[in-house]
Amino acid sequence: MKKLMILTLAMMGFALASNAQESEKKTVIELPQWVKNIKISGYGMLQYQGDDKYSNETITNEEGEKEVIASKNHENAFNLRLMRLILDGKIGDFDWRAQAQGSLGSGPGASTFYLVDLYAEWVKYKEFRVKAGQFKRAFSFENPTHPITQGWYSYAMVINNLVGFGDRTGEKSSGGRDIGIQIQGDLFPNTNGRRLLHYQIGVYNGEGINSKDKDNRKDIIGGLWVMPFDGVRVGAFGWTGSKAGIGEKNRYALSAEYDKNEYTFRAEYIHSQGYGADRSLGDKADGFYAFGIVPVIKSKLHAKARYNLYRKDKTWGNSKTMYEVGLNYFFNKRLQINAEYALVNDRSIVNPDKHNYNFVDVQFDFRF
């Protein structure tokens, strides 16, 4: 009898265990591969900035006439430069990205959160890839660099004014992006498999991010560069198009870069022909920058210097030049602090004694 009871209990236990396992199997949900491929990331950039500059101010003098004078406009402030959330994924031979940004606008409480990137790219072949959606324009070496790894308080002035960050045409700040389609590829691998030539060409609305085309005319932008040695790129870019309400714009850029083993040197010249939102500045503008970032302590501390010039009407009388030096300190791969000082020469300020001023910027950046 005892043996029978033991056998019965054993069978009941086996049945319960089987039912439990069966129940567990029913609750398991197998995710599709494209969901497993999704990567979530992001970063934040906190900023302190100050200067002792003067700016132009129009006043009415004692004779009742309008007069432009240099007015004290010293500033210093803490700022939430930006925060981004990023989704990256892969579906078959396509890579895709969705990226949103939060930053402070103008005025108290005028924060914004908006779509920055939304695109898919067919990447089956290195020689020929196709990207469609909203993404970085195919213009200049600096434009596509990450805001943190770019290494400075901001992109160079010529990039900000002539690549669509806050364009002289009056285009809203678009982070160098537009909506369109682009083809690109890397050709001629050497014996080590390193590609020697890159090409890219795109067709865009010409209105910046999150905007339909307003004049039914498209911007065409292309670039070509050679990579003769590991870490070296030398290239050129062209851009032709229009801006609704402004007219034609034609631009070109000449670029050179060395980036290897934490040493980064880059120089670019950009020229623009075509009127901007302020027609009194004429139809030409240009700018140039050159910088070096070198390791003082490998993977820990970098020193940097940059010459940063922009001429909003392609004359020296209205030029702005920044002579910048600074340090970048890395707590680890996800946490760093960047600091820099600049002597600024702004010749557009009417009083020659007020052309020069000091500028400081400190940023605390983190990734997640």
Side-chain angles (χ1 to χ4, degrees):
M1 184 69 177
K2 186 183 292 185
K3 291 182 179 180
L4 181 61
M5 289 179 63
I6 292 172
L7 181 62
T8 303
L9 290 171
M11 293 177 65
M12 290 176 62
F14 179 79
L16 289 173
S18 298
N19 287 336
Q21 290 177 0
E22 187 66 27
S23 177
E24 288 179 3
K25 288 180 181 179
K26 290 179 180 178
T27 59
V28 173
I29 299 175
E30 184 66 27
L31 295 175
Q33 189 60 45
W34 71 269
V35 175
K36 294 180 181 179
N37 288 335
I38 295 176
K39 177 185 175 183
I40 302 174
S41 62
Y43 57 92
M45 304 180 75
L46 313 179
Q47 180 182 55
Y48 170 82
Q49 196 172 94
D51 62 59
D52 60 355
K53 69 181 177 182
Y54 283 74
S55 59
N56 294 332
E57 180 183 1
T58 302
I59 63 169
T60 302
N61 60 26
E62 294 179 355
E63 289 75 28
E65 299 172 337
K66 297 291 184 180
E67 183 181 353
V68 180
I69 65 169
S71 174
K72 186 177 180 180
N73 191 31
H74 299 183
E75 296 180 344
N76 76 89
F78 294 101
N79 181 37
L80 305 179
R81 181 181 169 187
L82 59 82
M83 183 276 289
R84 286 183 178 170
L85 294 174
I86 307 166
L87 294 177
D88 287 304
K90 187 175 183 64
I91 304 175
D93 294 326
F94 287 84
D95 290 344
W96 62 268
R97 165 170 285 198
Q99 180 175 201
Q101 173 174 309
S103 59
L104 292 182
S106 58
S111 58
T112 57
F113 194 78
Y114 53 89
L115 187 66
V116 177
D117 287 311
L118 183 62
Y119 66 81
E121 183 175 14
W122 184 62
V123 295
K124 185 173 183 179
Y125 302 105
K126 291 183 179 180
E127 296 82 2
F128 183 80
R129 304 190 299 275
V130 183
K131 181 188 292 186
Q134 181 167 287
F135 50 88
K136 287 280 190 177
R137 290 172 165 127
F139 195 77
S140 84
F141 283 166
E142 178 146 318
N143 182 29
T145 57
H146 193 289
I148 294 179
T149 56
Q150 187 267 344
W152 298 93
Y153 85 93
S154 177
Y155 294 88
M157 290 186 289
V158 68
I159 300 294
N160 284 327
N161 286 280
L162 299 181
V163 187
F165 285 77
D167 207 277
R168 80 188 296 263
T169 60
E171 175 188 306
K172 64 180 180 295
S173 181
S174 297
R177 293 170 169 84
D178 206 343
I179 303 174
I181 186 168
Q182 174 183 299
I183 62 172
Q184 61 181 336
D186 296 288
L187 307 174
F188 310 128
N190 64 11
T191 54
N192 297 320
R194 186 174 58 82
R195 307 271 168 161
L196 301 178
L197 179 70
H198 176 88
Y199 72 91
Q200 55 189 41
I201 185 167
V203 181
Y204 310 86
N205 281 340
E207 302 294 340
I209 61 173
N210 306 322
S211 297
K212 287 185 176 181
D213 199 344
K214 297 178 182 179
D215 61 2
N216 294 319
R217 301 176 65 183
K218 301 297 182 283
D219 283 11
I220 301 174
I221 304 174
L224 185 74
W225 63 79
V226 295
M227 298 166 281
F229 309 104
D230 190 19
V232 174
R233 295 190 294 171
V234 180
F237 301 83
W239 179 345
T240 184
S242 64
K243 177 72 171 67
I246 300 295
E248 297 289 332
K249 57 182 174 185
N250 296 290
R251 295 173 179 173
Y252 68 84
L254 303 174
S255 311
E257 179 187 73
Y258 174 81
D259 186 5
K260 186 178 179 182
N261 297 330
E262 300 185 32
Y263 287 85
T264 304
F265 301 92
R266 184 162 64 243
E268 295 192 281
Y269 172 79
I270 300 177
H271 180 275
S272 176
Q273 185 274 324
Y275 284 97
D278 184 353
R279 299 186 73 85
S280 67
L281 294 176
D283 68 342
K284 291 182 175 61
D286 70 351
F288 173 80
Y289 74 88
F291 74 72
I293 301 177
V294 301
V296 178
I297 303 174
K298 190 173 177 60
S299 303
K300 205 69 177 176
L301 180 66
H302 290 174
K304 59 187 181 181
R306 178 168 71 170
Y307 175 82
N308 189 0
L309 165 72
Y310 178 60
R311 302 192 301 174
K312 58 187 177 183
D313 59 358
K314 204 183 175 184
T315 69
W316 288 106
N318 272 322
S319 66
K320 183 177 180 180
T321 308
M322 301 181 71
Y323 305 90
E324 304 167 64
V325 294
L327 296 170
N328 298 336
Y329 181 78
F330 304 86
F331 297 95
N332 52 52
K333 291 182 178 181
R334 295 186 176 274
L335 200 65
Q336 70 187 73
I337 187 167
N338 304 334
E340 66 184 87
Y341 163 81
L343 174 63
V344 185
N345 177 263
D346 187 349
R347 298 188 184 185
S348 66
I349 299 173
V350 293
N351 190 334
D353 296 333
K354 307 300 183 184
H355 284 177
N356 294 332
Y357 62 88
N358 301 293
F359 169 89
V360 294
D361 182 274
V362 180
Q363 295 188 32
F364 181 67
D365 303 333
F366 59 91
R367 308 171 190 245
F368 55 88

